[in-house]
């Protein structure tokens, strides 16, 4: 270990961070200054990576869970030689167009493995990355060749440890015995409000021990110790490791270090000067030549390591052509076609159950699809044939028992996708979409095609009552940018919806599925399986052709719409199933008008709040549920709320 | 302790639960059967309560955090003599109109202290109840009289313990040393998916120890032991207690007990018969006469206890008339008027800072207002004068450092309000509203007027980037029923918004406040402080009176609208500030038309997604941000997204 070089790297990290934040007049110096040593040894010694190929599948992953310390990551990526992260980006830190955004943004530059501004989620995503590693290792490694064998590192602060999502993920990781997950805890005892004594005095080490983790302790400022502890962590194969490093927030800023002032604001000109003098930083955006020399040499070593992996990979490919084919399929980023289940008109089946059959078919064709539910495997109907249960004993299992941990489930799913090679779904009741919403937002922001299976999607849940009946959730999920929200109206649509979700590569899909049985209805559009991909299609044309009223319905309310159309036959009703309003609204006018002729009165029908339907119908023509539900059998609840075919027909007839 | 009577109570709980669930053909027998003994001793021996006065302020509180076991609570309330919970309700369990809803619903009957379907939140609300008790005790008890002195009990299952919100709340409770909080953990090792071995193998006891709790262990089926453990818990004044009771899910159902089958479905006719035979239950909806006799006698004792408290309360009132006056104000359910801060036109001040001044004034007038932030006291601007910091050492403190635990913060706030006597606010960045959304939903469902202060309410957050810039949150918060969403447009409006929030009694209010400075603008409506209470008012009339275009704007975009109106002067623009769209939409047409004349073209302007504005403007007339933001200085981000006064004027001029 070249301590001098590591010290120079740490110095350069501090220099770049101080100046970038000061120049931006915005940012968080506390972490990059406080954890510069860890960053130096991580990127200089510990990580198995190669800046020349940030996408190398067998690289170690590092997640800066405390994402506000982004300058730590940017400085290290630049020093290590990641070409995307130019000095120019660092000099334009936090400016529009810079790859050095306020918080690390996935996709902005190689080496940024996740978007990690919202606290706690980075840790949970790291758990997902570690899960993915075990899954791929179990599938692809052979007696002769170990082609998947890497570690997942994360750096977390007090904030990450306080958030509930990290608690859920920590418990899950311990249960699963994720031995190749190593979390550094930057324990500086300071948060924005001041000392952690104000709100956070638990024994975090003991808590992680309770989760089944190995706990190691040391100083942030002792390279040899960090190296030793990391070796210990790597040697523990059955438990994730938490390495607690005592640190000083803002270390190097003589007057602000060890105070909350160092956390989230530039040091200011005076303190910048004082820090530079104290640290011996000779100029602006200073990079020590020794640091550059060190990394230059390192890049050669790293390149050789990666090349030797590549050679091994080729040898493995030759010996295992079938596995190699699978590998390519896993990494193609494209779903393979499946033999979807067939349903007969008149079949009565819940869309969750139909979805389950589709999932079975799709999973059979796509061996890289994994997933599970937050303890609702049966109710969500997401078990699938030959899946096996993922566990510490069997890493080939494809079904994941996430436990009653919705938020961590979604964040872990994000991590599984971020790793590469796998697709993932996760499931819960739609009303509990609220519990995982922050992770769904990150799926959308990171453009990760996680599939969210939300069953029990309306008041038709029935007896469980208002706490279990989504009413606002449909609207609330539709407003998140880049979320594809699909609410299939019967079994046939549910199967198509699953396919649409698998075909989507650029972001998450929500499948809103019914608890209750729904009758498979005839579809007058012979091309409906294509048309539905525009977001909507005509289920039933108006008698005679030219409609007097168009009813737009989604999901289980399509049945209600068809009934109402029959009750209001003299109005010449055309019934449209709108599986995705956003998708439909993104179509060119000609397509929209082929489904909803301009000038025709529109009535919208959905068992949820009205917001968003105003684009298509007048307020009095929206048949919605703008209040919380009731506990009772589904039909009785609908009656009590006046949500019946008769009431809809009355609106149509008005 | 009359063991025989307690056994008969437990038997009656089982009998009522089996039959109610079977008759409803829906429900969760697992918990009521498995924890009947705890229920019996709780309601029969441990709780200090009086069914004759469920609102008695000094009663012990009990929260069934595992709310799916609702029949346990209903059976006990009925047996104990809570008049609201009639046998008729139990016989119509889970039917529309029954007070015995699927999950306990606050307000349906006396003795239901919280709505507790969504797992984990009951525990966090119990923490809030315990906080409130310490706060009121510190304010009102005197050397001579202890008028606030009660315990908070909760019953939690494996699900509650897995949820992140309970982890956050548990850590907070330990930190705060809430000695009068006693949680029973019904440890039956079974969840919906099967054995807890599938997903939950952590050492929960050790985890709570790490939080600073006292851990006690015993059997669910040993009354003496439960009594002893509870006494031990009560004797520990500095730590909350977790009493782990080993139990058997569905105990008494001979073939289904100890399996996941017992959790969430009726036993079925055969198993019902078998259970009744095994337990010795002679009929349907059986209540053992000994149980009724026991409670009849108990009610006398309870009545005397409450009367003696009442006498003490009167004596205390006489000796402490000032305190009594405060007590009455605390419990009046009505805010006292405050001397709101005054701002001058042209002042540049962020609405978060203006809100802070209003908070200061309101808190000075309303001594029962408490609250805090999830570690963003400064950024949220929610510190207030003479508040003191609430802590284990000082229970009179009014400022709560919740830590980086948004979800628990909101759930604890719910608990504080449910207790009675206090108002609470809680604060975080608006983008992290997602982290606490499930608790906000419960505020709305339970009609609790928690005040949510969400600052940094748009892309004008700037440099922190898309993870910290809300775009969909305004729309997503507006769709929750019974949430009042207020987005004040300048400092003056911010002060009014705080007052509107305090004046609201029937549900939560969200205050959406700006990070950036906003210029206080002139308001042409001289009655604007009244008109704003309709949800909107006219800031600037069209030149000449009759408008050609109405711009509706909210929050910081009002400034943009005024600029655009000046740029498009020939269009005769009327500018409307719509502080609450939902409130405005609930007004009669005459009021709406007095602000937005019918037939006039409307342009809507808000720095968020468009959903919901379609009611007021055509799609092409909505000036919105329908994508994630960017990292950069606020003005530059707005430019990059084309969100400028010029662009708005171009739309108006179109």
């Amino acid at each position: 270990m070249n301590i001098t070089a590591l010290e120079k790297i740490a110095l350069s990290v501090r220099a770049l961070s101080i100046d970038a934040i000061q120049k931006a007049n915005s940012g968080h110096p506390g972490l990059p200054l406080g954890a510069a040593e860890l960053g130096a040894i991580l990127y200089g010694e510990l990580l198995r990576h190669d800046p020349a190929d940030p996408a190398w599948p067998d690289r170690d992953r590092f997640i800066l869970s405390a994402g506000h310390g982004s300058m730590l990551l940017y400085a290290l990526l630049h020093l290590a030689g990641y070409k995307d992260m130019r000095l120019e980006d660092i000099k334009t830190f936090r400016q529009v167009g810079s790859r050095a955004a306020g918080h690390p943004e996935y996709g902005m530059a190689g080496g940024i493995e996740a978007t990690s501004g919202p606290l706690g989620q980075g840790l949970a995503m790291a758990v997902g990355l570690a899960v993915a590693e075990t899954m791929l290792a179990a599938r692809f490694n052979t007696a002769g060749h170990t082609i998947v064998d890497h570690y997942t590192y994360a750096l977390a602060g007090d904030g990450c440890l306080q958030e509930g999502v990290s608690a859920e993920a920590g418990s899950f990781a311990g249960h699963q015995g994720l031995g190749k997950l190593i979390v550094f805890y930057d324990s500086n005892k300071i948060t924005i409000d001041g000392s952690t004594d104000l709100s956070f005095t638990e024994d975090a080490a003991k808590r992680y021990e309770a989760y089944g983790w190995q706990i190691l302790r040391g100083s942030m400022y002792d390279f040899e110790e960090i190296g030793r502890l990391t070796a210990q962590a790597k040697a523990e194969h059955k438990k994730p490791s938490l390495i607690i490093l005592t640190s000083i927030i803002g270390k190097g800023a003589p007057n602000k270090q060890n105070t909350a002032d160092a956390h989230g604001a530039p040091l200011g000109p005076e303190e910048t000067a004082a820090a530079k003098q104290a640290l011996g930083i000779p100029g602006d955006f200073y990079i020590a030549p020794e640091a550059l020399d060190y990394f230059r040499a390192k890049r050669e070593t790293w390149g050789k390591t990666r090349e030797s992996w590549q050679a091994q990979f080729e040898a493995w490919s030759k010996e295992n052509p079938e596995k190699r084919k699978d590998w390519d399929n896993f990494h193609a980023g494209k779903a393979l076609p499946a033999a979807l289940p067939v349903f007969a008109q008149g079949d009565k089946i819940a869309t969750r159950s139909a979805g389950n059959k589709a999932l079975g078919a799709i999973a059979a064709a796509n061996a890289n699809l994994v997933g599970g539910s937050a303890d609702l495997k049966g109710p969500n109907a997401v078990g699938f044939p030959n899946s096996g249960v993922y566990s510490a004993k069997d890493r080939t299992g494809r079904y994941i028992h996430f436990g009653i941990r919705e938020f961590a489930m979604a964040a872990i799913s994000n991590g599984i996708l971020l790793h590469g090679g796998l697709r993932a779904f996760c499931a819960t009741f739609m009303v509990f979409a609220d519990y995982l919403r922050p992770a769904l937002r990150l799926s959308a922001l990171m453009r990760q095609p996680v599939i969210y299976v939300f069953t029990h999607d309306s008041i038709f849940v029935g007896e469980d009552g208002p706490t279990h009946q989504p009413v606002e959730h449909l609207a609330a999920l539709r407003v998140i940018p880049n979320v594809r929200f699909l609410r299939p109206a019967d079994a046939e649509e549910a199967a198509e919806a699953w396919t649409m979700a698998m075909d989507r590569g650029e972001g998450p899909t929500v499948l809103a599925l019914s608890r209750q049985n729904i009758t498979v209805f005839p579809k007058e559009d012979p091309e409906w399986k294509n048309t539905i991909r525009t977001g909507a299609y005509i289920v039933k044309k108006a008698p005679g052709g030219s409609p007097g009223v168009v009813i737009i319905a989604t999901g289980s309310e399509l049945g209600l719409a068809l009934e109402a159309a029959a009750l209001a036959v003299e109005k010449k009703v055309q019934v449209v199933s709108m599986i995705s309003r956003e998708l439909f609204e993104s179509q060119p006018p000609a397509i929209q008008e082929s489904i909803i002729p301009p000038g025709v009165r529109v009535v919208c029908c959905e068992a949820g709040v009205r917001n968003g339907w105003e684009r298509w119908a007048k307020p009095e023509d929206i048949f919605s549920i703008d209040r919380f539900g009731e506990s009772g059998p589904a039909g009785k609840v609908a009656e009590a709320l006046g949500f019946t075919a008769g009431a809809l027909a009355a609106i149509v007839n008005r």
Side-chain angles (χ1 to χ4, degrees), chain A:
Chain A
M1 196 181 291
N2 181 341
I3 302 286
T4 317
L6 294 181
E7 281 171 351
K8 291 293 185 183
I9 297 170
L11 180 71
S12 306
V13 166
R14 288 199 170 91
L16 291 175
S17 301
I18 290 171
D19 281 339
I21 294 166
Q22 185 59 33
K23 186 172 174 212
N25 196 25
S26 173
H28 300 74
L31 189 140
L33 269 64
E37 278 74 7
L38 173 63
I41 190 171
L42 254 176
Y43 279 78
E45 279 285 334
L46 304 175
L47 280 186
R48 181 179 128 107
H49 65 141
D50 184 3
D53 184 5
W56 175 25
D58 202 33
R59 70 192 182 278
D60 287 343
R61 268 70 169 176
F62 169 67
I63 302 279
L64 181 69
S65 187
H68 51 270
S70 55
M71 263 312 302
L72 178 81
L73 181 61
Y74 302 149
L76 288 161
L77 292 180
H78 177 69
L79 294 170
Y82 284 82
K83 293 226 164 9
D84 283 357
M85 189 52 69
R86 305 158 305 176
L87 190 57
E88 189 49 36
D89 291 305
I90 289 173
K91 286 184 175 173
T92 53
F93 176 56
R94 293 188 155 231
Q95 306 305 306
V96 175
S98 170
R99 290 169 188 165
H103 292 79
E105 300 290 342
Y106 180 75
M108 293 290 258
I112 300 176
E113 303 279 9
T115 293
S116 59
L119 292 180
Q121 290 194 62
L123 274 186
M125 289 190 280
V127 172
L129 288 164
V131 165
E133 196 268 352
T134 63
M135 287 180 159
L136 294 173
R139 278 155 183 77
F140 293 111
N141 291 344
T142 59
H145 299 284
T146 303
I147 59 157
V148 181
D149 181 16
H150 54 265
Y151 288 82
T152 303
Y153 297 93
L155 171 53
D158 293 300
C160 290
L161 263 68
Q162 287 183 70
E163 291 286 1
V165 63
S166 70
E168 294 176 2
S171 178
F172 178 87
H175 170 77
Q176 290 289 353
L178 296 171
K180 293 167 91 172
L181 173 65
I182 299 173
V183 174
F184 298 98
Y185 168 26
D186 173 30
S187 178
N188 60 31
K189 303 266 176 203
I190 299 285
T191 69
I192 294 178
D193 276 2
S195 162
T196 51
D197 290 345
L198 287 172
S199 64
F200 188 50
T201 50
E202 63 168 57
D203 183 343
K206 187 169 177 175
R207 170 157 68 92
Y208 275 82
E209 233 171 56
Y211 294 148
W213 289 48
Q214 169 178 237
I215 311 300
L216 304 167
R217 295 166 196 271
S219 158
M220 180 65 83
Y221 310 116
D222 183 336
F223 290 116
E224 309 254 3
E225 189 172 45
I226 295 178
R228 215 162 43 235
L229 296 173
T230 306
Q232 252 179 287
K234 290 172 80 166
E236 169 59 69
H237 295 298
K238 298 203 163 163
K239 294 176 173 185
S241 293
L242 182 73
I243 304 180
I244 304 174
L245 298 175
T246 310
S247 72
I248 297 166
I249 192 169
K251 187 170 195 293
N255 307 300
K256 293 196 169 177
Q257 66 181 17
N258 208 20
T259 74
D261 285 349
H263 168 82
L267 296 181
E270 270 179 51
E271 183 73 355
T272 294
K276 285 189 179 178
Q277 189 173 23
L279 293 165
I281 296 170
D284 290 346
F285 292 97
Y286 174 72
I287 295 176
E290 299 90 332
L292 286 182
D293 292 344
Y294 180 85
F295 276 120
R296 196 172 300 121
K298 266 287 170 188
R299 284 200 292 278
E300 258 186 58
T301 323
W302 288 331
K304 281 182 190 144
T305 307
R306 183 174 55 81
E307 278 159 26
S308 108
W309 178 87
Q310 192 66 39
Q312 169 117 232
F313 182 73
E314 301 305 337
W316 166 86
S317 300
K318 217 169 255 173
E319 291 170 35
N320 304 280
E322 280 306 310
K323 278 190 188 287
R324 173 58 194 265
K325 212 178 122 192
D326 281 350
W327 174 279
D328 289 342
N329 283 335
F330 273 47
H331 291 81
K334 209 168 161 304
L336 295 171
L340 286 186
V342 175
F343 303 94
Q345 277 174 29
D347 277 1
K348 284 179 196 305
I349 177 171
T351 51
R352 61 173 166 156
S353 310
N356 181 260
K357 289 186 201 294
L359 163 61
I362 287 167
N366 292 273
N368 69 335
L369 179 64
V370 302
S373 156
D375 198 48
L376 295 168
K377 185 179 180 179
N380 291 148
V382 285
F384 56 98
N386 309 312
S387 55
V389 169
Y390 175 78
S391 73
K393 283 184 195 141
D394 183 6
R395 300 304 195 189
T396 66
R398 294 168 67 187
Y399 188 86
I400 305 171
H401 287 280
F402 285 106
I404 302 159
R405 307 179 179 108
E406 295 82 7
F407 191 0
M409 169 176 76
I412 290 168
S413 299
N414 279 337
I416 291 174
L417 263 82
L418 287 169
H419 183 280
L422 295 166
R423 289 292 298 268
F425 70 86
C426 63
T428 185
F429 290 150
M430 179 176 272
V431 84
F432 299 129
D434 280 352
Y435 273 64
L436 58 73
R437 190 171 170 91
L440 172 55
R441 184 174 208 255
L442 277 194
S443 305
L445 186 52
M446 298 189 297
R447 306 174 66 85
Q448 296 303 302
V450 175
I451 298 174
Y452 290 85
V453 182
F454 294 151
T455 70
H456 297 59
D457 70 345
S458 71
I459 55 142
F460 291 102
V461 164
E463 289 88 348
D464 276 342
T467 54
H468 285 58
Q469 294 169 355
V471 286
E472 75 276 27
H473 299 76
L474 290 73
L477 291 164
R478 287 191 180 112
V479 298
I480 307 174
N482 196 30
V483 169
R484 176 69 38 86
F485 182 87
L486 302 179
R487 190 162 185 249
D490 72 358
E492 292 187 317
E493 286 194 20
E496 291 306 316
W498 254 105
T499 307
M500 289 166 77
M502 285 298 289
D503 287 347
R504 183 161 203 242
E506 66 275 19
T509 299
V510 168
L511 300 175
L513 302 175
S514 76
R515 176 191 187 214
Q516 77 275 25
N517 284 341
I518 293 176
T519 306
V520 177
F521 51 79
K523 295 156 184 77
E524 292 189 9
D525 177 355
E527 295 294 312
W528 76 270
K529 286 187 188 180
N530 290 324
T531 323
I532 197 173
R533 282 169 170 69
T534 66
Y537 70 97
I538 299 170
V539 171
K540 194 183 160 304
K541 292 202 176 117
S546 167
V549 173
V550 173
I551 303 183
I552 304 174
T554 80
S556 53
E557 286 75 80
L558 211 283
L560 220 59
L562 289 169
E563 270 188 76
L567 290 171
V569 72
E570 66 283 10
K571 288 281 180 180
K572 294 186 158 193
V573 178
Q574 173 159 307
V575 177
V576 169
S577 175
M578 194 171 278
I579 193 166
S580 171
R581 196 177 65 206
E582 306 70 63
L583 186 54
F584 185 70
E585 289 176 351
S586 74
Q587 301 300 326
I591 289 186
Q592 294 188 9
E593 291 171 8
S594 72
I595 310 280
I596 302 173
V600 176
R601 180 178 164 224
V602 173
V603 172
C604 295
C605 168
E606 188 172 73
V609 299
R610 59 180 48 234
N611 306 62
W613 289 114
E614 290 103 336
R615 166 146 180 198
W616 296 102
K618 291 190 182 148
E620 62 272 23
D621 286 338
I622 300 173
F623 191 57
S624 59
I625 298 176
D626 297 283
R627 46 157 292 184
F628 291 115
E630 292 279 352
S631 169
K636 298 284 180 190
V637 172
E639 269 176 40
L641 302 181
F643 200 77
T644 61
L648 176 58
I651 290 176
V652 173
N653 273 325
R654 206 159 43 198

